[in-house]
Amino acid sequence: MRRKVARTSSSERRNHVTWPASHDCTARRVNMASHLSYGRVNLNILREAARKELREFLDKCAGSKAIVWDEYLTGPFGLIAQYSLLKEHEVEKMFTLKPGRVPPADVKNVIFFVRPKLELMDIIAENVTSEDKLQPQREFHILFVPRRSLLCEQRLKEQGVLNSFTNIDEYILDLIPYDGDLLSMESESAFRECYLENDQTSLYHTAKGLMTLQALYGTIPQIFGKGECARHVANMMLRMKREFAGSQNQILPVFDTLLLLDRNVDLLTPLATQLTYEGLIDEIYGITNGYVKLPPEKFAQKKAGEGGKDLPTEPKKLQLNSAEELYAEIRDKNFNAVGAALSKKAKIISAAFEERHNAKTVGEIKQFVSQLPHMQAARTSLANHTSIAELIKDITTSEVFFDNLTVEQEFMTGVDTDKINTYIEDCIAKKDPLIKILRLVCMQSVCNNGLKQKILDFYKREILQTYGYEHILTLNNLEKTGLLKPQTTTRNNYPTIRKTLKLWMEDANEQNPNDISYVYSGYAPLSVRLTQVLARPGWRSIEEVLKMLPGPHFEERQQLPPGLHKKRQQGENRTTLVFFLGGVTYAEIAALRFLSQMEDGGTEYIIATTKLINGTSWIKSLMDRPEAQIR
Amino acid sequence: MGWNLKDGLRDCLIAAAPYGGPIALLREPQRRSPSARPQLEIYSASGGTLASFPWKSGVVKQLGWTVCDDLLCIQEDGTVLVYDLFGSFKRHFSMGNEVGQSQVVEAKVFHSPYGTGVAIVTGASRFTLATNIDDLKLRRLPEVPGLQGAPSCWAVLTQDRQSKVLVANGADLFILDYGTCTAVSPPGLSPQATSIIHMCVSFSYKYLALFTDSGHVWMGTSNLREKLSEVETKVRNPPRQMAWCRRPKSQQASVVIMWDRYLLVVGVCKDTIPFHFEDDSVLVPELDSVRIINATNHELLQEVPAACEEIFKIASMAPGALLLEAHKEYEKESQKADEYLREIKEQNLLGEAVKQCVEAAGHEHEAETQKTLLRAASFGKCFLSNFSPEPFVSMCRDLRVLNAVRDYTVGIPLTHTQFKQMTVQVLTDRLVYRRLYPLAIEICRYLKTPEYQGVSRVLKHWACCKVQQKEEADEVIARTISLKLGDAAGISYSEIANKAYECGRTELAIKLLEFEPRSGEQVPLLLRMKRSQLALSKAIESGDTDLVYTVVTYLKNEMNRGDFFMTLRNQPVALSLYRQFCKHQEQDTLKDLFNQDDDHQELGNFYVKASYKEKRLEARMSLLQSAVDEYNKAKNEFAAKATEDEMRLLRFQRKLEEDKGEYLLGFSLHDTLSTLLSLGLHKLAEQLYKDFRVPDKRYWWLKLTALADKADWEELEKFAKSKKSPIGYMPFVEVCVKRNNKFEAKKYVSKVTPEQKVKAHLAVGDLEGAADAAIERRNEGEISTVLSRCTPATDRTLVERLNRAKATATKK
């Protein structure tokens, strides 16, 4: 656990340095990205590179500017740059991209920040053509994120507005630093596109993103992968490397290994309810772009005199990342261990405040006062998380939650997966939320390697009758992605997989975990097991199981320029980048962080993904909801 | 000179390119008879023949070289023909239609930072100018007042990022730019002159020299603000040629004036230096010198560089001279070496001495002299600490390269100053234009130019040249090229392929494209060559979906629909991308696509989706019917049945609307049933439940919930008693409790299964009942659950009973 200690101390030091006198918003914003630099790999380099490029583009359009945003992009951009940066570069107004006319603003430039989507091009064209000719001429620019597209430019040309743009540029924003050890492409529909629609655009962006990463952090010598998409990405990477042959990368490799994993190799994990603190926050309230919105009641300021008369109605918005010391400490714990951690922390903080009585000399008092801001911040943080924990506890102790979890765990352990499940039946009868039903049915199907046609048809009929026939499309989508399928062979290989990979651990220790299975209180996420086995003893030991999982598994090596071969110090850990194609859950991340911190693990993990998901957001992305409007 | 010119340079049009460039000769350009055409000859600067062919086009007025070593032949009719170094025709362009009748009287080729330009003056005394022939924009300059016929002399200037023409008409001087004609007068021009008969501009366009009919040479800045000097030459004939001869930063500006076989150097001082020639000669102005070419010799005239002067001046005591002397003595093993060295060191000038020797070596052309100077420098360097070796080393490298290209077989006589100005890259290009690929590669390797800019670039040019060799088979060329280029960094095979395509060798181009690793580069060329199928597979290979879309869009416009669909069918990736496109943009095409593939499942889905967009029920029904048909064809019985059910439900809902005025259209079966039940339409609900074969369990749940929601407890009780509940009676308890009706709930507690007894009692708040049930069942867990619900207010005896029971249960 040596490393873990080192990490905490560095973050403590940071808190002293970067949170000066007042703990207000502006002070935090300035240092917002510091948490990116304290991991094994300094991801702030990536963020800085992205910021630099943004500044360069903004400076290309001389004079005052207004930005018209593709709304989808504002979240991801928030992780790269705040409004202050834009303001420094003369961005005076921001609008949302909408049909019609760009609102009047006395600026020289109007810049569209958009994804390369044809629908958006039509809106832009409308914006440009309806520009008021009487007003002073504004210059138009387009910034495509993450890549410019011939198709879109063609569309603009057809609309006759292509020549109205002074600059058409691309802002290559593939991998966005999300936390000290986490990168996300924030591409919501990646799984749907890859596995349902056979549109591999996001994989191309993934490969490009990995090339950018290698340009900054050195060539990754070893690439492992499992799954069709992984194979495709690796092929593209190797191909792109050949394309750039000649511009040899002279950076000492930071990553030793890249592991590419298809989400469809492990369809089970995201379906299960995450039981870590962060995982539960996401399951219950949903974390978007690093922020969570919580019901405000528990966060009401209890100030004397106000008497709590008017409760705030706006949801409480909190940013969640490792910059917050307490959060970094508890986020990956099993929720059952969070209470103890919080009360321990509470004791430490109140002890720290008690210190003031012991401070006798002026020097001691001065030192105490200098630590005050940090302590106050810690206290606020503690109060916030205690409130969140209370909110979550109300839910986790409910019977509904318990029953649901019991069924999930039965499926995961292989109990009666080949029969119609009465709990699911009852839930449908009670018309519980559809997504909950779909999660459970899919889970049963995955754990049984497909359902008997009769059972499958029963569930489908029940769902259609209860929730409406329009969901036939959604069910069809789930079948296409393999989440729901009829059993084709009588052999169910899930038990073999479960046993070989030890996916179920009876005695999962939630308080002081000794295995990754703690994140689901017993179930060890398959994806993370694969990662763990790869590090030691290697995939050769599980060839049989790998063959049962969909898609090829492979290993590729990338030649390093001479002189860049790493000489590993005795006891120095390897660094592996695990890329989840199609999304990753917070619980899986927690499991990987747990592996990184294991004393004898020997490997540290950096995680990258197309999108952070949970079962609900994932299933939602696969749903088709035609809006019926009959008369 | 390596050439053998019978008639010398008489009656020739000559153009020699600066920076030691090639020489073009056109003998007797006025000859027109087909039997005796003028001969166009191209030579290297050392007189080696590069090309020679009879001139078959119109009358040439002027020859000139571009910065890329292309030959420009400006014809009388205003047409400019462009040839490469080896005399092959590249292209032509015109200096304007209006030139036609009046004809070009005079033309000049000039160079500026924007490329190579051409200026002409026509018989109608009008000037036309193009600043960059690669981006041709003709500018017709304004008329010069009072000018009839050809001007007495003129020159092109580049000032303020603009090309202008300076024209003399008699004694009047005008500057012509794009819009205006401004009369100017050079300050201090001697008043005896009645006409300016010759003028020349320096290499850098900074200085101007004018020759007047009084024999005076006026020298000044080209902006005509400053006069440098005026010298009387005592010759009144118009000179043949005039050129500035000055090196950058030198103070000794001078102009070289040439008449027939007589050459005069005039400078700021009144003294002049005359030279006499045996032969007709041509002056080639250079950055730092003037080259003089005649039939037998090629000479360089320049101001002696300061470093050389210092060192080699007789009895010079300059540090460099002393160092050279010291080294000479050292070679002789004489102790005088030490004396000289000490003399320099005492003045603390050893660094200066080394610098001088290195610099002087750069200006020397004899390899032996260079060596002597460099050895001296190296010797001096030994006695210095902290002296950067960089200038010495790079000078050695530069000289090695310079000596190689100055060799007569190569024939590029560059001075060190010129070499530094033109850079290695340009030199490599020049060698490449001369097809001296091995030497170019050697130089790149020797100077360690990054492969990307050096060797690879040369190889690319070689390959581009190779593909033009018509006599060799495609196969052979492709193989030779791939062998030689291999994996050289940054080779653009697509550029080579493009060249091959331009030469009409499409097959070769395709073969070459195979070697191109960047698909993005392959695709546009393949499209241009109409190899759209190949382009499509390349685009797919690249993984760049945007590229695939581009090709698909191209194909769509190019092919008829049937072929287009067939092509897509063979490329699943492209097909699914196109489907995506259609989903958002062209719904109808999407349907056609599915139709073509007989993908009935997707067609079914398509109709279902479409049905939801329909506002009218009839239209919706007919779409759903189509969906049913498609699902049937797809043998998806379930989907067909489900869709039929949906239609049935819709029909039922419409009837309901008609009969009862209840608007339920679009409700799910579940919601329809609930609504019916809450409306008390039990019969209809019953009918629906039977028609749709709703499982009993779910119907019970549904009815239970609906009745409880309605608080119709009486009906609920009736329902509970109607027959044995398929869902047990626990749900009854729970549903009632949920609606805060413990009284009703209690009615069902007795009916629940033994396993649920405890839970049921607890749910209605009957602790005692729960305790009894738990004790009866002797279940430890249940007893504990009940105990945990006990509060201090609970009856003590009950708690004790529980504890006792727990103890016995545990023992067991």
Side-chain angles (χ1 to χ4, degrees):
Chain A
M1 290 306 227
R2 214 159 35 90
R3 271 209 61 82
K4 201 178 167 189
V5 173
R7 243 167 66 142
T8 332
S9 70
S10 68
S11 66
E12 262 169 18
R13 189 166 60 240
R14 179 195 63 241
N15 284 329
H16 284 304
V17 178
T18 60
W19 289 1
S22 69
H23 170 64
D24 63 3
C25 282
T26 42
R28 269 196 76 178
R29 198 175 294 141
V30 173
N31 302 295
M32 212 204 76
S34 57
H35 61 287
L36 297 177
S37 351
Y38 287 95
R40 166 77 180 245
V41 175
N42 182 357
L43 295 181
N44 211 19
I45 298 177
L46 187 63
R47 185 171 180 268
E48 275 311 315
R51 284 165 72 90
K52 181 165 164 260
E53 213 175 311
L54 182 61
R55 282 193 293 259
E56 276 168 9
F57 175 78
L58 289 173
D59 289 341
K60 220 189 256 180
C61 318
S64 54
K65 310 163 185 59
I67 295 180
V68 182
W69 286 97
D70 170 358
E71 213 164 11
Y72 180 87
L73 289 175
T74 48
F77 260 80
L79 294 164
I80 295 295
Q82 292 72 46
Y83 186 47
S84 57
L85 180 139
L86 301 176
K87 227 174 179 173
E88 277 163 31
H89 293 266
E90 294 176 86
V91 175
E92 292 175 359
K93 284 267 162 53
M94 309 245 258
F95 304 115
T96 310
L97 184 61
K98 268 191 250 128
R101 187 183 284 190
V102 179
D106 186 20
V107 288
K108 212 170 147 265
N109 301 284
V110 175
I111 313 175
F112 295 95
F113 277 36
V114 287
R115 288 167 297 159
K117 299 254 178 219
L118 288 178
E119 310 87 271
L120 300 178
M121 294 308 111
D122 295 346
I123 301 179
I124 291 179
E126 198 184 327
N127 278 185
V128 172
T129 43
S130 56
E131 175 81 352
D132 195 343
K133 299 283 181 297
L134 298 172
Q135 295 294 321
Q137 283 282 303
R138 301 191 281 192
E139 275 188 40
F140 289 103
H141 313 264
I142 295 188
L143 189 63
F144 282 115
V145 186
R147 212 145 264 115
R148 64 191 292 174
S149 130
L150 293 166
L151 196 65
C152 288
E153 282 168 49
Q154 182 64 33
R155 172 57 66 101
L156 291 173
K157 200 170 167 188
E158 283 163 20
Q159 302 265 24
V161 292
L162 189 65
N163 292 329
S164 315
F165 295 98
T166 319
N167 274 311
I168 296 184
D169 238 304
E170 60 184 7
Y171 184 60
I172 303 174
L173 187 67
D174 295 313
L175 287 167
I176 305 165
Y178 207 92
D179 212 325
D181 57 355
L182 180 59
L183 298 161
S184 169
M185 294 170 65
E186 291 300 278
S187 149
E188 203 123 43
S189 48
F191 184 85
R192 184 188 171 107
E193 282 166 13
C194 292
Y195 299 92
L196 184 63
E197 287 159 347
N198 202 14
D199 173 355
Q200 294 166 332
T201 309
S202 56
L203 298 182
Y204 180 69
H205 291 165
T206 304
K208 282 278 186 189
L210 283 166
M211 295 313 282
T212 315
L213 206 65
Q214 290 187 87
L216 291 171
Y217 297 97
T219 307
I220 306 175
Q222 262 186 321
I223 304 176
F224 289 93
K226 170 73 189 166
E228 294 289 349
C229 293
R231 182 69 264 185
H232 189 61
V233 169
N235 284 349
M236 278 192 285
M237 280 173 72
L238 297 174
R239 195 186 163 84
M240 286 170 189
K241 183 155 192 274
R242 253 183 295 142
E243 292 187 8
F244 294 118
S247 43
Q248 279 271 5
N249 188 343
Q250 293 298 342
I251 298 169
L252 196 69
V254 173
F255 298 105
D256 301 284
T257 310
L258 165 67
L259 170 60
L260 295 161
L261 281 178
D262 272 35
R263 185 71 269 178
N264 80 341
V265 170
D266 173 14
L267 293 170
L268 175 56
T269 306
L271 292 171
T273 305
Q274 308 171 69
L275 296 177
T276 58
Y277 181 52
E278 191 170 32
L280 277 167
I281 297 179
D282 189 37
E283 292 278 349
I284 298 168
Y285 298 107
I287 301 174
T288 36
N289 304 125
Y291 286 89
V292 67
K293 282 184 184 162
L294 296 160
E297 298 80 22
K298 291 247 180 191
F299 297 92
Q301 292 281 335
K302 289 184 199 90
K303 273 185 192 154
E306 281 177 27
K309 259 179 276 167
D310 23 46
L311 283 170
T313 44
E314 281 278 296
K316 169 98 175 166
K317 199 172 172 190
L318 276 180
Q319 192 177 21
L320 299 175
N321 60 40
S322 57
E324 193 181 346
E325 197 184 328
L326 173 64
Y327 187 62
E329 222 171 281
I330 59 170
R331 68 197 309 190
D332 298 324
K333 287 194 188 305
N334 185 294
F335 184 67
N336 284 339
V338 168
L342 285 175
S343 70
K344 204 175 103 193
K345 192 77 184 176
K347 277 183 200 131
I348 293 171
I349 290 175
S350 56
F353 274 102
E354 285 307 307
E355 283 279 304
R356 70 173 184 273
H357 300 302
N358 301 335
K360 296 276 189 294
T361 67
V362 175
E364 281 169 346
I365 293 172
K366 200 174 168 193
Q367 203 201 335
F368 176 81
V369 169
S370 74
Q371 284 178 7
L372 216 52
H374 171 218
M375 282 159 57
Q376 273 159 351
R379 195 156 64 174
T380 316
S381 162
L382 180 69
N384 281 341
H385 287 290
T386 312
S387 303
I388 299 175
E390 277 170 20
L391 282 170
I392 292 175
K393 190 151 192 205
D394 288 348
I395 288 164
T396 53
T397 49
S398 69
E399 204 168 319
V400 181
F401 187 86
F402 179 79
D403 290 346
N404 186 66
L405 197 62
T406 311
V407 174
E408 279 186 12
Q409 299 199 340
E410 274 172 18
F411 287 156
M412 288 191 285
T413 46
V415 176
D416 288 344
T417 50
D418 55 348
K419 297 197 182 85
I420 290 169
N421 183 290
T422 44
Y423 177 71
I424 298 182
E425 233 180 333
D426 288 352
C427 287
I428 297 177
K430 282 188 270 184
K431 208 181 175 194
D432 279 354
L434 174 60
I435 291 184
K436 173 184 169 181
I437 308 297
L438 293 176
R439 271 177 87 159
L440 285 170
V441 175
C442 288
M443 195 165 185
Q444 186 179 355
S445 166
V446 172
C447 289
N448 198 51
N449 194 21
L451 296 169
K452 279 192 202 122
Q453 191 71 50
K454 226 179 80 194
I455 297 176
L456 182 62
D457 284 354
F458 172 79
Y459 281 138
K460 277 162 67 178
R461 217 166 71 91
E462 290 287 281
I463 290 168
L464 293 181
Q465 289 196 349
T466 308
Y467 300 93
Y469 287 99
E470 65 268 29
H471 295 293
I472 195 167
L473 299 172
T474 299
L475 290 172
N476 187 47
N477 289 349
L478 294 175
E479 284 185 69
K480 269 204 236 168
T481 50
L483 272 162
L484 205 57
K485 60 179 182 184
Q487 207 169 37
T488 41
T489 53
T490 44
R491 231 181 83 84
N492 173 11
N493 54 24
Y494 174 72
T496 321
I497 298 171
R498 188 183 67 229
K499 277 170 209 145
T500 320
L501 292 180
K502 300 200 185 77
L503 295 187
W504 186 261
M505 304 296 275
E506 271 310 331
D507 44 1
N509 186 340
E510 291 168 351
Q511 302 294 331
N512 293 304
N514 51 7
D515 181 75
I516 56 168
S517 55
Y518 85 92
V519 297
Y520 287 97
S521 296
Y523 167 70
L526 194 160
S527 57
V528 184
R529 266 291 190 258
L530 286 180
T531 314
Q532 193 181 9
V533 173
L534 178 70
R536 199 181 296 165
W539 274 0
R540 208 157 295 161
S541 61
I542 52 161
E543 284 278 342
E544 285 304 311
V545 166
L546 283 175
K547 272 183 206 146
M548 288 175 189
L549 297 168
H553 60 278
F554 60 88
E555 178 186 353
E556 297 283 353
R557 278 172 194 278
Q558 297 202 92
Q559 207 66 43
L560 287 180
L564 288 186
H565 290 277
K566 224 184 196 171
K567 284 173 198 76
R568 203 178 307 283
Q569 305 285 316
Q570 183 69 32
E572 189 191 333
N573 283 346
R574 300 171 58 82
T575 307
T576 297
L577 176 66
V578 190
F579 205 120
F580 289 86
L581 301 163
V584 69
T585 64
Y586 286 99
E588 286 172 295
I589 294 170
L592 284 170
R593 284 187 183 138
F594 172 78
L595 289 180
S596 292
Q597 284 169 14
M598 283 224 298
E599 203 165 354
D600 54 349
T603 308
E604 282 190 52
Y605 295 97
I606 303 291
I607 302 125
T609 183
T610 47
K611 176 79 189 165
L612 289 147
I613 56 166
N614 60 46
T616 304
S617 66
W618 189 39
I619 295 286
K620 213 180 234 170
S621 79
L622 291 171
M623 289 177 76
D624 263 328
R625 294 165 198 259
E627 296 296 319
Q629 15 171 250
I630 24 168
R631 178 63 265 186
Chain B
M1 289 300 271
W3 60 26
N4 186 15
L5 300 178
K6 269 177 267 160
D7 306 318
L9 299 174
R10 197 190 300 274
D11 294 333
C12 282
L13 259 185
I14 303 183
Y19 292 101
I23 308 167
L25 276 181
L26 186 65
R27 307 204 147 270
E28 302 176 53
Q30 302 303 328
R31 255 193 337 209
R32 279 191 190 182
S33 83
S35 56
R37 293 183 190 278
Q39 190 77 6
L40 181 71
E41 294 164 8
I42 301 174
Y43 297 98
S44 75
S46 58
T49 307
L50 294 175
S52 171
F53 58 94
W55 184 255
K56 290 179 188 161
S57 305
V59 175
V60 176
K61 271 309 213 192
Q62 180 72 41
L63 296 174
W65 291 96
T66 69
V67 280
C68 324
D69 279 353
D70 283 331
L71 179 63
L72 301 178
C73 306
I74 305 161
Q75 295 192 143
E76 217 169 43
D77 59 356
T79 314
V80 181
L81 296 108
V82 187
Y83 290 83
D84 75 2
L85 257 178
F86 295 93
S88 32
F89 176 73
K90 284 177 94 170
R91 63 191 179 98
H92 76 270
F93 60 90
S94 164
M95 289 300 290
N97 298 328
E98 66 280 2
V99 180
Q101 303 141 359
S102 52
Q103 301 217 315
V104 177
V105 180
E106 241 186 304
K108 284 190 201 303
V109 175
F110 60 96
H111 305 281
S112 72
Y114 312 104
T116 302
V118 172
I120 56 160
V121 56
T122 63
S125 311
R126 287 301 293 269
F127 286 89
T128 304
L129 186 139
T131 312
N132 179 7
I133 56 156
D134 291 322
D135 177 21
L136 197 68
K137 285 199 186 83
L138 294 178
R139 311 270 186 185
R140 203 152 175 234
L141 302 183
E143 249 175 294
V144 181
L147 179 63
Q148 299 282 319
S152 45
C153 62
W154 58 287
V156 183
L157 279 174
T158 296
Q159 271 176 353
D160 311 328
R161 284 174 284 148
Q162 210 186 19
S163 297
K164 300 172 179 175
V165 170
L166 186 66
V167 199
N169 183 21
D172 303 325
L173 208 53
F174 302 94
I175 285 188
L176 300 179
D177 61 20
Y178 297 156
T180 55
C181 170
T182 324
V184 285
S185 59
L189 184 67
S190 82
Q192 292 111 300
T194 57
S195 176
I196 298 166
I197 51 176
H198 208 106
M199 64 170 79
C200 77
V201 183
S202 73
F203 207 78
S204 59
Y205 295 108
K206 260 197 204 143
Y207 299 98
L208 174 72
L210 303 169
F211 189 87
T212 62
D213 57 353
S214 58
H216 285 83
V217 182
W218 179 93
M219 289 186 263
T221 54
S222 61
N223 56 18
L224 296 167
R225 292 214 183 104
E226 208 182 313
K227 175 180 165 179
L228 292 174
S229 76
E230 194 165 28
V231 178
E232 201 191 338
T233 59
K234 301 192 179 82
V235 187
R236 291 183 176 223
N237 297 338
R240 286 264 302 264
Q241 235 184 321
M242 214 159 90
W244 278 89
C245 176
R246 75 181 285 284
R247 59 175 60 254
K249 288 181 199 145
S250 99
Q251 298 304 311
Q252 301 281 322
S254 54
V255 171
V256 181
I257 310 164
M258 187 179 73
W259 290 267
D260 292 332
R261 303 189 182 185
Y262 176 63
L263 187 128
L264 196 68
V265 183
V266 298
V268 257
C269 54
K270 296 286 171 200
D271 286 337
T272 57
I273 313 165
F275 291 97
H276 290 275
F277 293 143
E278 312 256 299
D279 215 346
D280 290 326
S281 300
V282 184
L283 298 182
V284 187
E286 290 279 7
L287 172 71
D288 58 343
S289 55
V290 172
R291 284 187 289 136
I292 304 160
I293 300 169
N294 66 28
T296 49
N297 288 313
H298 188 159
E299 289 166 306
L300 183 84
L301 178 68
Q302 71 171 165
E303 176 196 334
V304 178
C308 300
E309 190 187 341
E310 293 272 283
I311 290 176
F312 294 111
K313 198 161 69 180
I314 294 164
S316 168
M317 291 299 276
L322 291 175
L323 179 60
L324 187 64
E325 207 52 41
H327 182 249
K328 265 187 201 155
E329 295 299 335
Y330 170 74
E331 297 260 271
K332 280 192 251 162
E333 297 179 11
S334 151
Q335 86 284 3
K336 276 190 187 159
D338 186 46
E339 282 170 31
Y340 282 120
L341 206 55
R342 202 166 297 167
E343 200 176 328
I344 314 171
K345 277 173 96 175
E346 272 163 13
Q347 302 175 68
N348 235 346
L349 285 172
L350 189 51
E352 181 61 33
V354 174
K355 247 184 245 160
Q356 260 180 10
C357 285
V358 171
E359 204 191 319
H363 292 302
E364 286 302 323
H365 288 253
E366 288 287 325
E368 270 317 308
T369 324
Q370 291 167 359
K371 278 186 197 164
T372 318
L373 285 164
L374 287 173
R375 278 200 198 104
S378 161
F379 172 69
K381 231 156 48 71
C382 299
F383 302 94
L384 284 168
S385 53
N386 284 334
F387 187 81
S388 161
E390 190 49 41
F392 177 80
V393 174
S394 68
M395 181 57 80
C396 290
R397 283 211 195 104
D398 289 352
L399 281 177
R400 187 130 186 231
V401 172
L402 277 177
N403 289 341
V405 298
R406 280 170 188 165
D407 188 275
Y408 75 96
T409 51
V410 179
I412 305 181
L414 283 177
T415 64
H416 187 252
T417 319
Q418 291 165 15
F419 173 61
K420 280 298 173 202
Q421 176 74 22
M422 88 191 283
T423 72
V424 188
Q425 274 187 42
V426 177
L427 180 62
T428 334
D429 281 346
R430 297 269 155 108
L431 291 172
V432 163
Y433 297 142
R434 284 166 177 71
R435 297 186 196 155
L436 297 168
Y437 305 111
L439 180 62
I441 290 179
E442 276 309 310
I443 289 177
C444 288
R445 290 205 178 123
Y446 177 69
L447 292 179
K448 299 202 173 67
T449 318
E451 205 176 29
Y452 189 72
Q453 301 168 346
V455 177
S456 294
R457 216 151 54 102
V458 178
L459 284 173
K460 187 197 83 192
H461 280 289
W462 167 79
C464 284
C465 171
K466 187 82 187 165
V467 295
Q468 295 172 50
Q469 295 178 353
K470 297 242 155 54
E471 60 280 9
E472 282 195 71
D474 293 345
E475 193 60 50
V476 181
I477 293 183
R479 203 171 338 112
T480 329
I481 288 179
S482 78
L483 272 180
K484 189 147 274 174
L485 269 58
D487 287 329
I491 286 277
S492 165
Y493 278 96
S494 57
E495 254 179 78
I496 304 168
N498 197 16
K499 191 83 196 173
Y501 176 61
E502 275 172 18
C503 303
R505 303 183 75 162
T506 312
E507 284 309 312
L508 177 58
I510 290 169
K511 282 203 174 71
L512 286 169
L513 270 184
E514 280 298 311
F515 300 115
E516 172 64 62
R518 291 168 298 173
S519 321
E521 303 288 313
Q522 294 172 318
V523 172
L525 183 58
L526 285 170
L527 281 183
R528 246 190 303 143
M529 298 195 297
K530 306 244 177 296
R531 301 296 158 119
S532 37
Q533 305 266 0
L534 196 55
L536 184 59
S537 42
K538 289 290 172 197
I540 291 168
E541 237 173 69
S542 78
D544 183 349
T545 43
D546 186 48
L547 206 56
V548 179
Y549 272 132
T550 309
V551 181
V552 168
T553 324
Y554 179 89
L555 291 176
K556 192 178 149 199
N557 299 333
E558 190 85 338
M559 298 175 148
N560 67 44
R561 213 172 162 86
D563 291 348
F564 175 56
F565 281 5
M566 273 319 281
T567 310
L568 286 184
R569 205 172 176 175
N570 299 326
Q571 298 283 8
V573 177
L575 181 60
S576 34
L577 283 177
Y578 185 60
R579 269 188 201 149
Q580 281 291 96
F581 171 82
C582 291
K583 209 180 272 176
H584 297 295
Q585 305 287 331
E586 295 176 17
Q587 287 281 337
D588 286 342
T589 317
L590 187 64
K591 194 170 87 185
D592 295 348
L593 275 172
F594 291 142
N595 250 325
Q596 182 203 254
D597 291 348
D598 292 328
D599 192 339
H600 300 294
Q601 173 66 33
E602 283 301 336
L603 273 171
N605 293 345
F606 176 84
Y607 286 122
V608 169
K609 224 173 273 179
S611 80
Y612 285 98
K613 291 207 186 92
E614 276 300 339
K615 288 206 165 74
R616 284 172 25 257
L617 184 64
E618 290 71 30
R620 188 165 168 192
M621 290 297 239
S622 89
L623 280 168
L624 284 174
Q625 186 54 51
S626 308
V628 171
D629 296 345
E630 293 300 338
Y631 284 139
N632 274 327
K633 280 187 212 157
K635 299 210 163 54
N636 187 342
E637 280 165 40
F638 178 85
K641 180 82 198 346
T643 313
E644 273 170 5
D645 282 352
E646 181 176 6
M647 293 168 70
R648 204 141 51 92
L649 182 63
L650 284 170
R651 267 185 232 118
F652 179 89
Q653 287 166 341
R654 183 171 54 181
K655 191 151 185 304
L656 194 72
E657 191 184 350
E658 283 162 5
D659 296 353
K660 311 271 179 200
E662 291 298 332
Y663 182 70
L664 296 182
L665 222 49
F667 277 39
S668 76
L669 180 62
H670 178 106
D671 295 345
T672 313
L673 276 168
S674 306
T675 319
L676 290 176
L677 288 169
S678 60
L679 288 170
L681 299 168
H682 293 283
K683 273 235 172 84
L684 279 173
E686 205 77 9
Q687 183 202 335
L688 209 54
Y689 145 68
K690 277 181 188 141
D691 281 0
F692 283 84
R693 290 194 290 132
V694 176
D696 284 353
K697 275 185 175 176
R698 193 149 57 79
Y699 185 65
W700 274 70
W701 262 110
L702 213 156
K703 190 161 178 179
L704 162 66
T705 321
L707 291 175
D709 280 344
K710 216 178 137 192
D712 192 346
W713 308 115
E714 203 177 318
E715 186 71 30
L716 185 64
E717 200 172 344
K718 233 176 10 186
F719 175 54
K721 286 176 182 161
S722 62
K723 59 178 171 182
K724 190 170 177 291
S725 161
I727 52 174
Y729 293 90
M730 193 61 205
F732 283 79
V733 178
E734 280 172 352
V735 167
C736 293
V737 169
K738 207 171 169 190
R739 279 146 192 93
N740 292 320
N741 195 335
K742 285 194 181 166
F743 174 75
E744 284 296 327
K746 277 182 188 153
K747 290 182 182 168
Y748 306 102
V749 171
S750 59
K751 291 183 137 182
V752 301
T753 56
E755 292 83 29
Q756 293 169 323
K757 275 265 157 67
V758 177
K759 203 173 157 193
H761 279 291
L762 285 177
V764 297
D766 176 6
L767 207 56
E768 212 158 318
D772 289 342
I775 292 165
E776 192 181 327
R777 280 172 47 75
R778 291 184 195 149
N779 181 311
E780 192 201 337
E782 284 178 8
I783 298 170
S784 306
T785 317
V786 181
L787 267 171
S788 70
R789 291 287 197 89
C790 291
T791 55
T794 324
D795 184 9
R796 292 293 300 272
T797 50
L798 185 71
V799 178
E800 273 161 32
R801 254 175 68 210
L802 279 168
N803 277 328
R804 262 201 312 278
K806 192 181 176 187
T808 26
T810 323
K811 240 178 262 163
K812 235 185 14 173

